[in-house]
Amino acid sequence: MNFFEVTLVDQDGKLFVDGGTFKLAVPETKKPDYVQHKGKKVIFGVRPEDIHAKGFEAPGIIPAPMTAQVDVSELMGNEISLLVSGKKQFVARVDPRTHAASASLST
């Protein structure tokens, strides 16, 4: 699990998870669970398998694009494990057809 210290911010009536180098919209269906923490710093967790390379997103997700530097790429057969750096390092498990050295990611 990847953990990030973020702030929940309200912008134009929408709630966002703001990590400084990334900003993700909270889905409307989840907003009631998060709104009570608006303006507070919280810990936000994202599983490596929930981070996708652009063009290989899973069906039914709402992508939130981000750009990050791939530091290490390891082909694991049915997936590629990436060590990625942004404000802090995190792990992504992406489709093996991804060109990992230049991956654009979404979560």
Side-chain angles (χ1 to χ4, degrees):
M1 182 71 94
N2 298 295
F3 294 103
F4 303 91
E5 187 175 295
V6 301
T7 304
L8 290 170
V9 296
D10 190 347
Q11 186 176 16
D12 299 325
K14 291 189 130 198
L15 194 61
F16 291 89
V17 173
D18 188 349
T21 57
F22 66 90
K23 188 185 244 184
L24 305 171
V26 174
E28 287 299 317
T29 57
K30 300 288 184 184
K31 191 174 175 179
D33 298 328
Y34 288 72
V35 74
Q36 65 190 357
H37 303 290
K38 182 175 64 175
K40 297 179 184 175
K41 286 193 180 287
V42 297
I43 302 299
F44 176 65
V46 180
R47 291 183 176 93
E49 60 270 21
D50 290 333
I51 301 171
H52 308 278
K54 189 173 182 177
F56 298 100
E57 293 93 349
I61 68 164
I62 302 168
M66 67 183 291
T67 302
Q69 175 64 42
V70 175
D71 295 327
V72 178
S73 170
E74 183 177 4
L75 180 59
M76 304 294 288
N78 66 329
E79 66 189 16
I80 295 175
S81 183
L82 302 176
L83 181 60
V84 183
S85 60
K87 188 174 180 180
K88 69 174 252 168
Q89 284 191 321
F90 61 97
V91 176
R93 290 178 18 200
V94 298
D95 190 283
R97 297 170 288 176
T98 301
H99 297 283
S102 60
S104 292
L105 305 173
S106 66
T107 174

